[in-house]
């Protein structure tokens, strides 16, 4: 399954027919590797917080230590004292890692392809953080598990690159333009919207 195609797409392409011999072989290979995929999925799940904390530490000085589970019962469940930007970046990294894991587990790139990245992620340096996350994850995994994840990492990076290309950064001339001072139109009430 080197070429990442969604299983629903492959089945839909058959239009009620049988799978092609190549697709059938891919399905057999996938099913034989399911135990390895499940094990790696569980590793991703267990190591997520540790890996994200390492990336946040690489991003700059952060109060990451407070994000670790505490032995103080009063601190349990407390929100880590990260800045809002760091919390957002951590959530986005977790979302990307979870999408990566789900794609790996089900053998379908759709969860990774559905990762949407916008202008805020550019501001937060998500592409750089994803590269750091990939290095941290790969440094923690044996070569065979790295190989299982490789096509999904490539897909995630392609989605990230596409998102960056689609969200242009404002030029200096755009930032200097004065907005017209036209009074806003009256907003419709909820009742007016459905009449």
């Amino acid at each position: 399954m080197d070429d990442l195609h969604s299983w629903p797409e492959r089945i839909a392409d058959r239009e009620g027919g049988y799978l092609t011999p190549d697709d059938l072989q891919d399905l057999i290979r996938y099913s034989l590797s399911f135990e390895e995929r499940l094990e790696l999925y569980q590793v991703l799940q267990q190591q997520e917080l540790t890996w994200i904390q390492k990336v946040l530490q690489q991003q700059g000085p952060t109060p990451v230590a407070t994000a670790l589970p505490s032995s103080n019962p009063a601190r349990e469940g407390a929100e880590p004292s990260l800045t809002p930007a760091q919390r957002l970046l951590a959530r986005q990294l977790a979302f990307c890692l979870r999408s990566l894991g789900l794609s790996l587990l089900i053998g379908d790139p759709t969860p990774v392809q559905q990762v949407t990245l916008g202008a805020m992620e550019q501001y937060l340096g998500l592409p750089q953080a994803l590269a750091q996350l990939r290095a941290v994850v790969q440094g923690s995994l044996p070569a065979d598990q790295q190989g299982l994840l490789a096509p999904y990492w490539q897909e995630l990076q392609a989605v990230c690159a596409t998102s960056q290309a689609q969200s242009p950064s404002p030029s200096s001339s755009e930032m200097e333009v004065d907005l017209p001072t036209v009074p806003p139109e009256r907003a419709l009430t909820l009742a007016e919207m459905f009449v």
Side-chain angles (χ1 to χ4, degrees), residues 57-139:
Q57 288 172 345
Q58 291 175 9
Q59 291 284 313
T62 60
V64 173
T66 60
L68 296 172
S70 172
S71 59
N72 179 354
R75 290 278 304 146
E76 286 184 10
E79 183 72 21
S81 60
L82 299 172
T83 67
Q86 291 166 332
R87 262 187 254 130
L88 182 59
L89 180 59
R91 280 189 207 117
Q92 291 166 337
L93 290 172
F95 179 71
C96 289
L97 198 55
R98 291 169 187 174
S99 298
L100 189 75
L102 187 57
S103 286
L104 167 80
L105 184 64
I106 63 175
D108 184 349
T110 304
V112 167
Q113 292 168 344
Q114 292 176 341
V115 172
T116 57
L117 310 171
M120 182 58 85
E121 289 83 352
Q122 278 188 326
Y123 169 75
L124 293 173
L126 186 61
Q128 176 188 3
L130 277 175
Q132 292 170 331
L133 180 63
R134 183 176 185 177
V136 167
V137 170
Q138 287 181 331

Coordinates of all heavy atoms in Angstrom, one line a residue, residues 57-139:
Q57 N 9.2 22.6 24.1 CA 10.5 23.0 24.7 C 11.4 23.4 23.6 O 12.2 24.4 23.8 CB 11.1 21.8 25.4 CG 10.4 21.5 26.7 CD 10.9 20.3 27.4 OE1 11.6 19.4 26.8 NE2 10.5 20.1 28.7
Q58 N 11.4 22.8 22.4 CA 12.3 23.2 21.3 C 11.8 24.5 20.7 O 12.7 25.3 20.2 CB 12.3 22.1 20.2 CG 13.0 20.9 20.6 CD 12.8 19.8 19.5 OE1 12.4 20.1 18.4 NE2 13.2 18.6 19.8
Q59 N 10.6 24.9 20.9 CA 10.0 26.1 20.3 C 10.5 27.3 21.1 O 10.5 28.4 20.6 CB 8.5 26.1 20.3 CG 7.9 25.1 19.4 CD 7.9 25.6 18.0 OE1 7.6 26.8 17.7 NE2 8.3 24.8 17.0
G60 N 10.9 27.1 22.3 CA 11.4 28.2 23.2 C 11.1 28.0 24.6 O 10.5 26.9 25.0
P61 N 11.4 28.9 25.5 CA 11.2 28.7 26.9 C 9.7 28.7 27.2 O 9.0 29.6 26.9 CB 11.9 29.9 27.6 CG 12.0 30.9 26.5 CD 12.1 30.2 25.2
T62 N 9.2 27.5 27.7 CA 7.8 27.4 28.1 C 7.7 26.8 29.4 O 8.6 26.0 29.9 CB 7.1 26.5 27.1 OG1 7.7 25.2 27.1 CG2 7.1 27.0 25.7
P63 N 6.6 27.0 30.1 CA 6.4 26.3 31.4 C 5.9 24.9 31.2 O 4.8 24.6 31.7 CB 5.4 27.3 32.1 CG 4.7 27.9 30.9 CD 5.6 28.0 29.8
V64 N 6.6 24.1 30.5 CA 6.1 22.8 30.1 C 6.0 21.9 31.4 O 5.2 21.0 31.4 CB 7.0 22.1 29.1 CG1 6.7 20.7 28.8 CG2 6.9 22.9 27.8
A65 N 6.9 22.1 32.3 CA 6.9 21.2 33.5 C 5.5 21.2 34.2 O 5.1 20.2 34.7 CB 7.9 21.7 34.5
T66 N 4.8 22.3 34.1 CA 3.5 22.3 34.7 C 2.4 21.5 34.0 O 1.4 21.2 34.5 CB 2.9 23.7 34.9 OG1 2.8 24.3 33.6 CG2 3.8 24.5 35.8
A67 N 2.8 21.1 32.8 CA 1.9 20.3 32.0 C 2.0 18.8 32.3 O 1.2 18.0 31.9 CB 2.1 20.5 30.5
L68 N 3.0 18.4 33.0 CA 3.2 17.0 33.4 C 2.2 16.7 34.5 O 1.9 17.5 35.4 CB 4.7 16.8 33.9 CG 5.7 17.0 32.9 CD1 7.1 17.0 33.5 CD2 5.6 16.0 31.8
P69 N 1.8 15.4 34.6 CA 0.9 15.0 35.7 C 1.6 15.3 37.0 O 2.7 15.0 37.2 CB 0.7 13.5 35.4 CG 1.1 13.3 34.0 CD 2.1 14.4 33.6
S70 N 0.8 15.8 37.9 CA 1.3 16.1 39.2 C 0.9 15.1 40.3 O -0.2 14.5 40.2 CB 0.8 17.5 39.6 OG 1.2 17.9 40.9
S71 N 1.7 15.0 41.3 CA 1.4 14.1 42.4 C 0.5 14.9 43.4 O -0.1 14.4 44.3 CB 2.6 13.6 43.1 OG 3.4 14.7 43.6
N72 N 0.3 16.2 43.2 CA -0.5 17.1 44.0 C -1.9 16.9 43.6 O -2.3 17.3 42.5 CB 0.0 18.5 43.9 CG -0.9 19.5 44.8 OD1 -1.9 19.1 45.4 ND2 -0.4 20.7 44.8
P73 N -2.8 16.4 44.4 CA -4.2 16.2 44.0 C -4.9 17.5 43.6 O -5.8 17.5 42.8 CB -4.9 15.5 45.2 CG -3.8 15.2 46.1 CD -2.6 15.9 45.7
A74 N -4.5 18.6 44.2 CA -5.1 19.9 43.8 C -4.8 20.3 42.4 O -5.5 21.0 41.8 CB -4.7 20.9 44.8
R75 N -3.7 19.8 41.9 CA -3.2 20.2 40.5 C -3.8 19.3 39.5 O -3.7 19.6 38.3 CB -1.7 20.2 40.4 CG -1.0 21.3 41.1 CD -1.0 22.6 40.4 NE -0.4 22.5 39.1 CZ -0.8 23.2 38.0 NH1 -1.7 24.0 38.1 NH2 -0.2 23.0 36.9
E76 N -4.3 18.1 39.9 CA -4.8 17.1 38.9 C -5.9 17.7 38.1 O -6.9 18.3 38.7 CB -5.2 15.8 39.6 CG -4.0 15.0 40.0 CD -4.4 13.7 40.6 OE1 -5.5 13.3 40.6 OE2 -3.5 13.1 41.2
G77 N -5.9 17.6 36.8 CA -6.9 18.1 35.9 C -6.8 19.6 35.7 O -7.6 20.2 35.0
A78 N -5.8 20.2 36.3 CA -5.7 21.7 36.1 C -5.1 22.0 34.7 O -4.3 21.2 34.2 CB -4.7 22.3 37.2
E79 N -5.5 23.1 34.2 CA -5.0 23.5 32.8 C -3.5 23.8 33.0 O -3.1 24.6 33.9 CB -5.8 24.7 32.3 CG -5.4 25.1 31.0 CD -5.8 24.2 29.9 OE1 -6.7 23.4 30.1 OE2 -5.3 24.3 28.8
P80 N -2.6 23.3 32.1 CA -1.2 23.7 32.2 C -1.1 25.2 32.0 O -1.9 25.8 31.3 CB -0.6 22.9 31.0 CG -1.6 21.9 30.6 CD -2.9 22.4 31.1
S81 N 0.0 25.8 32.6 CA 0.1 27.2 32.5 C 0.9 27.6 31.2 O 2.0 28.1 31.3 CB 0.8 27.8 33.7 OG 2.1 27.1 33.9
L82 N 0.4 27.2 30.1 CA 1.0 27.6 28.8 C 0.3 28.9 28.3 O -0.8 29.2 28.7 CB 0.8 26.5 27.8 CG 1.4 25.1 28.1 CD1 1.0 24.1 27.1 CD2 2.9 25.2 28.1
T83 N 1.0 29.6 27.4 CA 0.3 30.7 26.8 C -0.8 30.3 25.9 O -0.8 29.1 25.5 CB 1.4 31.6 26.0 OG1 1.8 30.8 24.9 CG2 2.6 32.0 26.8
P84 N -1.7 31.1 25.5 CA -2.8 30.7 24.6 C -2.2 30.2 23.3 O -2.7 29.2 22.7 CB -3.6 32.0 24.4 CG -3.4 32.7 25.7 CD -2.0 32.4 26.1
A85 N -1.2 30.8 22.8 CA -0.6 30.4 21.5 C 0.1 29.0 21.7 O -0.1 28.2 20.8 CB 0.5 31.4 21.1
Q86 N 0.7 28.7 22.8 CA 1.3 27.4 23.0 C 0.2 26.4 23.2 O 0.4 25.2 22.7 CB 2.2 27.5 24.3 CG 3.4 28.3 24.1 CD 4.1 28.6 25.4 OE1 3.5 28.7 26.5 NE2 5.4 28.8 25.4
R87 N -0.9 26.7 23.9 CA -2.0 25.7 24.0 C -2.6 25.4 22.7 O -2.8 24.2 22.4 CB -3.1 26.3 24.9 CG -2.9 25.8 26.3 CD -4.1 26.2 27.2 NE -3.5 27.2 28.1 CZ -4.1 28.4 28.3 NH1 -5.2 28.7 27.7 NH2 -3.5 29.3 29.0
L88 N -2.7 26.4 21.8 CA -3.3 26.2 20.5 C -2.3 25.3 19.7 O -2.8 24.4 19.0 CB -3.5 27.5 19.8 CG -4.2 27.4 18.4 CD1 -5.5 26.7 18.4 CD2 -4.3 28.8 17.8
L89 N -1.0 25.6 19.7 CA -0.1 24.8 19.0 C -0.1 23.4 19.5 O 0.0 22.4 18.7 CB 1.3 25.4 19.1 CG 2.4 24.7 18.4 CD1 2.2 24.6 16.9 CD2 3.8 25.4 18.6
A90 N -0.1 23.2 20.8 CA -0.2 21.8 21.4 C -1.4 21.1 20.9 O -1.3 19.9 20.5 CB -0.1 21.9 22.9
R91 N -2.6 21.8 20.9 CA -3.8 21.1 20.4 C -3.7 20.7 18.9 O -4.1 19.7 18.5 CB -5.0 22.1 20.6 CG -5.5 22.1 22.0 CD -6.8 22.8 22.0 NE -7.0 23.4 23.4 CZ -7.0 24.7 23.7 NH1 -7.0 25.5 22.7 NH2 -7.1 25.1 24.9
Q92 N -3.1 21.6 18.1 CA -2.9 21.4 16.7 C -2.0 20.2 16.5 O -2.2 19.3 15.6 CB -2.5 22.6 16.0 CG -3.5 23.7 15.9 CD -3.0 25.0 15.5 OE1 -1.8 25.3 15.7 NE2 -3.9 25.9 15.0
L93 N -0.9 20.2 17.2 CA 0.0 19.0 17.1 C -0.6 17.7 17.5 O -0.4 16.7 16.9 CB 1.3 19.3 18.0 CG 2.2 20.4 17.4 CD1 3.4 20.6 18.5 CD2 2.8 20.0 16.1
A94 N -1.4 17.8 18.6 CA -2.1 16.6 19.0 C -3.1 16.1 18.0 O -3.2 14.9 17.7 CB -2.9 16.8 20.4
F95 N -3.8 17.1 17.4 CA -4.8 16.8 16.3 C -4.1 16.1 15.1 O -4.5 15.1 14.6 CB -5.5 18.0 15.9 CG -6.5 17.8 14.8 CD1 -7.7 17.1 15.0 CD2 -6.3 18.2 13.5 CE1 -8.6 16.8 14.0 CE2 -7.2 18.0 12.5 CZ -8.4 17.3 12.7
C96 N -2.9 16.7 14.7 CA -2.2 16.1 13.6 C -1.7 14.7 14.0 O -1.8 13.8 13.1 CB -1.0 17.0 13.3 SG -1.5 18.6 12.5
L97 N -1.2 14.5 15.2 CA -0.7 13.2 15.6 C -1.8 12.2 15.7 O -1.6 11.0 15.2 CB 0.1 13.3 16.9 CG 1.0 12.2 17.4 CD1 2.1 12.0 16.3 CD2 1.7 12.6 18.7
R98 N -2.9 12.6 16.1 CA -4.1 11.7 16.2 C -4.6 11.3 14.8 O -5.0 10.2 14.6 CB -5.2 12.3 17.1 CG -4.8 12.4 18.5 CD -5.7 13.3 19.3 NE -5.2 13.4 20.7 CZ -5.7 14.2 21.6 NH1 -6.8 14.9 21.3 NH2 -5.2 14.3 22.8
S99 N -4.6 12.3 13.9 CA -5.0 12.0 12.5 C -4.0 11.1 11.9 O -4.4 10.2 11.2 CB -5.1 13.3 11.7 OG -6.1 14.2 12.3
L100 N -2.8 11.3 12.2 CA -1.7 10.4 11.6 C -1.9 9.0 12.2 O -1.9 8.0 11.4 CB -0.4 10.9 12.1 CG 0.9 10.3 11.5 CD1 1.1 10.8 10.1 CD2 2.1 10.7 12.4
G101 N -2.2 8.8 13.5 CA -2.4 7.5 14.0 C -3.6 6.8 13.5 O -3.6 5.6 13.2
L102 N -4.7 7.6 13.4 CA -5.9 7.0 12.8 C -5.8 6.6 11.4 O -6.2 5.5 11.0 CB -7.1 8.0 12.9 CG -8.5 7.5 12.6 CD1 -8.8 6.3 13.4 CD2 -9.5 8.6 12.7
S103 N -5.1 7.4 10.6 CA -4.8 7.0 9.2 C -4.0 5.7 9.1 O -4.3 4.8 8.3 CB -4.1 8.1 8.5 OG -4.9 9.2 8.2
L104 N -3.0 5.6 10.0 CA -2.2 4.4 10.1 C -3.0 3.2 10.4 O -2.9 2.2 9.8 CB -1.0 4.6 11.1 CG -0.3 3.4 11.5 CD1 0.7 3.0 10.4 CD2 0.4 3.6 12.9
L105 N -3.8 3.4 11.5 CA -4.6 2.2 12.0 C -5.6 1.7 11.0 O -5.6 0.5 10.8 CB -5.3 2.7 13.3 CG -6.1 1.5 14.0 CD1 -5.2 0.5 14.5 CD2 -6.9 2.1 15.1
I106 N -6.3 2.6 10.3 CA -7.3 2.1 9.3 C -6.8 2.0 7.9 O -7.5 1.5 7.0 CB -8.5 3.0 9.4 CG1 -8.2 4.4 8.9 CG2 -9.2 3.0 10.7 CD1 -9.4 5.3 8.8
G107 N -5.5 2.3 7.7 CA -4.9 2.2 6.4 C -5.5 3.1 5.4 O -5.6 2.7 4.2
D108 N -5.9 4.3 5.8 CA -6.7 5.2 4.9 C -6.1 6.6 5.2 O -6.1 7.1 6.3 CB -8.2 5.1 5.3 CG -9.0 6.0 4.4 OD1 -8.5 6.8 3.6 OD2 -10.3 5.8 4.5
P109 N -5.7 7.3 4.2 CA -5.1 8.6 4.4 C -6.1 9.7 4.6 O -5.8 10.9 4.9 CB -4.4 8.9 3.0 CG -5.2 8.1 2.0 CD -5.6 6.9 2.8
T110 N -7.4 9.4 4.5 CA -8.4 10.5 4.7 C -8.3 11.3 5.9 O -8.4 12.5 5.9 CB -9.9 9.8 4.5 OG1 -9.9 9.1 3.3 CG2 -10.9 10.9 4.6
P111 N -8.1 10.7 7.1 CA -8.0 11.6 8.3 C -6.9 12.6 8.2 O -7.0 13.7 8.7 CB -7.8 10.6 9.5 CG -8.4 9.3 9.0 CD -8.2 9.3 7.5
V112 N -5.7 12.2 7.6 CA -4.6 13.1 7.5 C -4.9 14.1 6.4 O -4.6 15.3 6.6 CB -3.3 12.3 7.1 CG1 -2.2 13.3 6.6 CG2 -2.8 11.5 8.3
Q113 N -5.6 13.7 5.4 CA -6.0 14.7 4.3 C -7.0 15.7 4.8 O -7.0 16.8 4.2 CB -6.5 13.9 3.1 CG -5.5 13.1 2.4 CD -6.0 12.1 1.4 OE1 -7.2 11.9 1.4 NE2 -5.2 11.6 0.6
Q114 N -7.7 15.4 5.8 CA -8.7 16.3 6.3 C -8.2 17.3 7.3 O -8.9 18.2 7.7 CB -9.9 15.6 6.9 CG -10.7 14.8 5.8 CD -11.8 13.9 6.4 OE1 -11.8 13.6 7.6 NE2 -12.7 13.6 5.6
V115 N -6.9 17.3 7.6 CA -6.3 18.2 8.5 C -6.3 19.6 7.8 O -5.8 19.7 6.7 CB -4.9 17.8 8.8 CG1 -4.2 19.0 9.6 CG2 -4.8 16.6 9.6
T116 N -7.0 20.6 8.4 CA -7.0 21.9 7.8 C -6.1 22.8 8.6 O -6.2 22.9 9.8 CB -8.5 22.4 7.7 OG1 -9.0 22.4 9.0 CG2 -9.3 21.6 6.8
L117 N -5.3 23.6 7.8 CA -4.4 24.5 8.5 C -4.6 25.9 7.9 O -4.8 26.0 6.7 CB -3.0 24.0 8.2 CG -2.7 22.6 8.5 CD1 -1.3 22.2 8.0 CD2 -2.8 22.3 10.0
G118 N -4.6 26.9 8.7 CA -4.9 28.2 8.2 C -3.8 29.2 8.6 O -2.7 28.8 8.9
A119 N -4.2 30.5 8.5 CA -3.2 31.5 8.7 C -2.7 31.5 10.1 O -1.5 31.8 10.4 CB -3.8 32.9 8.4
M120 N -3.5 31.2 11.1 CA -3.1 31.1 12.5 C -1.9 30.1 12.7 O -1.0 30.4 13.4 CB -4.2 30.8 13.4 CG -3.9 30.8 14.9 SD -3.2 32.3 15.5 CE -4.7 33.2 15.9
E121 N -2.0 29.0 12.0 CA -1.0 28.0 12.1 C 0.4 28.5 11.6 O 1.4 28.2 12.1 CB -1.4 26.7 11.4 CG -2.5 25.9 12.0 CD -3.8 26.5 11.7 OE1 -4.0 27.5 11.1 OE2 -4.8 25.8 12.1
Q122 N 0.3 29.3 10.5 CA 1.5 29.9 10.0 C 2.1 30.8 11.0 O 3.3 30.8 11.2 CB 1.2 30.8 8.7 CG 1.1 30.0 7.5 CD 1.0 30.9 6.3 OE1 0.5 31.9 6.3 NE2 1.6 30.4 5.2
Y123 N 1.3 31.6 11.7 CA 1.8 32.5 12.7 C 2.4 31.7 13.8 O 3.5 32.1 14.4 CB 0.6 33.3 13.3 CG 1.0 34.1 14.5 CD1 1.8 35.3 14.4 CD2 0.5 33.7 15.7 CE1 2.1 35.9 15.6 CE2 0.9 34.4 16.9 CZ 1.7 35.5 16.8 OH 2.0 36.2 17.9
L124 N 1.8 30.6 14.2 CA 2.4 29.8 15.3 C 3.5 28.9 14.9 O 4.1 28.3 15.7 CB 1.3 28.9 15.8 CG 0.1 29.6 16.5 CD1 -1.0 28.7 16.9 CD2 0.6 30.3 17.8
G125 N 3.8 28.9 13.6 CA 5.0 28.1 13.2 C 4.7 26.6 13.1 O 5.5 25.7 13.4
L126 N 3.4 26.2 12.8 CA 3.1 24.8 12.8 C 3.9 24.0 11.8 O 4.3 22.9 12.2 CB 1.6 24.6 12.5 CG 1.1 23.2 12.6 CD1 1.3 22.6 14.0 CD2 -0.4 23.1 12.2
P127 N 4.2 24.4 10.6 CA 5.1 23.6 9.8 C 6.4 23.2 10.4 O 6.9 22.1 10.4 CB 5.3 24.4 8.5 CG 4.0 25.3 8.5 CD 3.7 25.6 9.9
Q128 N 7.0 24.2 11.1 CA 8.3 24.0 11.8 C 8.1 23.0 12.9 O 8.8 22.1 13.2 CB 8.9 25.3 12.3 CG 10.2 25.1 13.1 CD 10.6 26.3 13.7 OE1 10.0 27.4 13.6 NE2 11.8 26.3 14.4
A129 N 7.0 23.2 13.7 CA 6.7 22.4 14.8 C 6.4 20.9 14.4 O 6.8 20.0 15.0 CB 5.5 22.9 15.6
L130 N 5.7 20.8 13.2 CA 5.4 19.4 12.7 C 6.7 18.7 12.3 O 6.9 17.5 12.6 CB 4.5 19.5 11.5 CG 3.0 19.6 11.8 CD1 2.3 19.7 10.5 CD2 2.6 18.3 12.5
A131 N 7.7 19.5 11.7 CA 9.0 18.9 11.4 C 9.7 18.5 12.7 O 10.3 17.4 12.7 CB 9.8 19.9 10.6
Q132 N 9.6 19.3 13.7 CA 10.2 18.9 15.0 C 9.5 17.7 15.6 O 10.2 16.8 16.2 CB 10.2 20.1 16.0 CG 11.1 21.3 15.5 CD 10.8 22.5 16.4 OE1 9.7 22.8 16.9 NE2 11.9 23.3 16.5
L133 N 8.2 17.7 15.5 CA 7.5 16.5 16.0 C 7.8 15.3 15.3 O 8.1 14.2 16.0 CB 5.9 16.8 15.9 CG 5.0 15.7 16.4 CD1 5.2 15.5 17.9 CD2 3.6 16.0 16.1
R134 N 8.0 15.3 14.0 CA 8.4 14.2 13.2 C 9.8 13.7 13.7 O 10.0 12.5 13.9 CB 8.4 14.5 11.7 CG 8.7 13.3 10.9 CD 8.7 13.5 9.4 NE 8.9 12.3 8.7 CZ 8.8 12.2 7.4 NH1 8.6 13.3 6.6 NH2 9.1 11.1 6.8
A135 N 10.7 14.6 13.9 CA 12.0 14.2 14.3 C 12.0 13.6 15.7 O 12.6 12.5 16.0 CB 13.0 15.4 14.4
V136 N 11.2 14.1 16.6 CA 11.0 13.6 18.0 C 10.4 12.2 17.9 O 10.9 11.2 18.6 CB 10.2 14.5 18.9 CG1 9.8 13.8 20.2 CG2 11.0 15.8 19.2
V137 N 9.4 12.0 17.2 CA 8.7 10.7 17.0 C 9.6 9.7 16.4 O 9.8 8.6 16.9 CB 7.4 10.9 16.2 CG1 6.8 9.5 15.9 CG2 6.4 11.7 17.0
Q138 N 10.3 10.1 15.3 CA 11.2 9.1 14.7 C 12.3 8.7 15.6 O 12.8 7.6 15.5 CB 11.7 9.7 13.3 CG 10.6 9.7 12.3 CD 11.0 10.2 11.0 OE1 11.9 11.1 10.9 NE2 10.4 9.7 9.9
G139 N 12.8 9.7 16.4 CA 13.9 9.4 17.3 C 13.5 8.4 18.4 O 14.4 7.8 19.1

